[in-house]
Amino acid sequence: MLVSSKQMVLEARAKKYAIGCFNTSDLEITKAIIAAAEAQKSPVIISTSPKAIEYAGLKTLAAIIKEEAQKSKVPVALHLDHGLTLSLIESCLENGYTSIMFDGSGSELEHNEILTRQAVEMTHAEDVPCEGELGHLGKAGKSKSRLTDPNDVIDFVQKTGVDFLAVSLGSEHGIGENEALDIKLLGKINSLTGVPLVLHGASGVADKNIKEAMSNGIAKVNIDTDIRHTFSDSMRQVLTKNTRENDPREILTKVMADIQKLIEKKIRIFGSDHKI
Ligand SMILES: [Zn+2]
C-alpha cells in the first residue's frame, strides 16, 4: 500500500534500525525495489530526484510508483529527493507524493530556515512529512560538502518544524566507496534532537559504519549510486555475454533481478526486514 513515510521512519528511529530510501527513475528499478521489500517483509521509501522527474516526467513517474505501491503487500512511501524549489514540492503534492525533502542547504542558514519552514507548512497541510538538510552534502567532483554544525541543530529543527533531518557527516553523493562518517559528530547531533536523522550518500559507506550510524539516530538511509552501478554493470554483462540479444524485456529482467538482490542486501543491513 501507498503510505506516508512518517510512521515507518519514527518506528525505525525508536527501534534503532533504518528505512531504506531507494532512488528510481523508471519502471524497472521501481519494480525491483518493491519486489525486494516484499521478499524481505520491509517497509520502503521510493525516491525520485529532480533529475529522475525531468527524465521520466512527474505525472508518469508518480503514476508508475503509486500503481505499483498500491498493489504491494508492504508499506511504500513515494518521496521527493532534494526538492530545490517550493513549486516542485507543490507539483509533487498534487501528484500524490507521501514524503518530501526540501533541500535549502545550498543557501545561507537563515535563508535555508525560512524556505524549509515554508516547505514544511505546505507538506503538513497535506499531512505529508518533510525532511530538511542542515550542513551540505556535496556531490563528487561538483560541489563541496559542509559538515553539519551541531550548534545550529536545535534552532533549525524548532524554527522549521522538519519531521526528519538530513545531516552531513563526511559522506558525499555519487562516490560509492570508502567513505568515512564522523560518528562522534552524529552522536552529538543525536543528543540534541529526537528528530529522526537521515544519511545521504550512503552507497559508499561501509556496513559497520551504517550500523554505528543507526545506533546514533540515523533512521533513513538513502541509496542511489549503488543502484545505478548495479543497473549498468548488469546490463553490460548481459550484452557482453550475449551480443545478439535484442529483446529489452530479456535484458531488463536480468537487470531487475540483480537490483532486487542489491536492495534485499541493503534492507538486511538496515535491519528493516521482517517488520511487516
Ligand atoms: Zn542526497
Side-chain angles (χ1 to χ4, degrees), residues 49 72-73 126 142 163 202 204 220 222 225 230 244 268:
S49 67
S72 164
K73 293 182 218 57
E126 304 294 327
K142 286 195 177 151
D163 301 274
K220 171 175 175 279
N222 286 21
T225 306
T230 298
R244 298 176 72 89
R268 287 193 302 269

Side-chain angles (χ1 to χ4, degrees), residues 46-198:
I46 299 191
S47 187
T48 65
S49 67
K51 191 173 175 185
I53 289 170
E54 198 189 325
Y55 165 76
L58 177 57
K59 264 193 183 354
T60 306
L61 190 56
I64 290 171
I65 299 167
K66 282 188 291 185
E67 178 64 22
E68 292 297 312
Q70 271 151 6
K71 62 185 190 202
S72 164
K73 293 182 218 57
V74 296
V76 180
L78 168 54
H79 180 75
L80 170 66
D81 194 23
H82 293 283
L84 296 173
T85 64
L86 297 175
S87 70
L88 179 58
I89 286 171
E90 197 180 355
S91 306
C92 287
L93 291 170
E94 279 167 10
N95 278 280
Y97 274 61
T98 59
S99 183
I100 295 284
M101 176 193 190
F102 177 77
D103 178 3
S105 70
S107 309
E108 305 257 315
L109 179 61
E110 202 183 331
H111 200 51
N112 185 5
E113 276 173 357
I114 292 168
L115 288 172
T116 305
R117 174 73 227 167
Q118 285 177 292
V120 168
E121 280 169 8
M122 286 167 65
T123 71
H124 283 187
E126 304 294 327
D127 212 14
V128 169
C130 189
E131 173 182 342
E133 178 166 321
L134 185 59
H136 179 69
L137 260 114
K139 195 165 188 179
K142 286 195 177 151
S143 69
K144 267 205 155 150
S145 287
R146 240 181 312 106
L147 294 181
T148 302
D149 184 341
N151 296 313
D152 300 334
V153 170
I154 295 176
D155 230 37
F156 186 82
V157 168
Q158 278 175 357
K159 281 188 183 156
T160 60
V162 287
D163 301 274
F164 318 132
L165 183 66
V167 287
S168 177
L169 307 166
S171 64
E172 271 190 14
H173 293 117
I175 300 237
E177 57 185 1
N178 295 328
E179 289 179 88
L181 289 184
D182 191 337
I183 296 289
K184 224 176 121 188
L185 172 59
L186 174 61
K188 172 95 180 133
I189 296 167
N190 188 39
S191 71
L192 297 167
T193 177
V195 164
L197 304 174
V198 182

Side-chain angles (χ1 to χ4, degrees), residues 16-28:
K16 296 190 187 253
Y17 63 89
I19 303 293
C21 177
F22 301 103
N23 279 79
T24 187
S25 48
D26 58 35
L27 171 71
E28 286 75 20

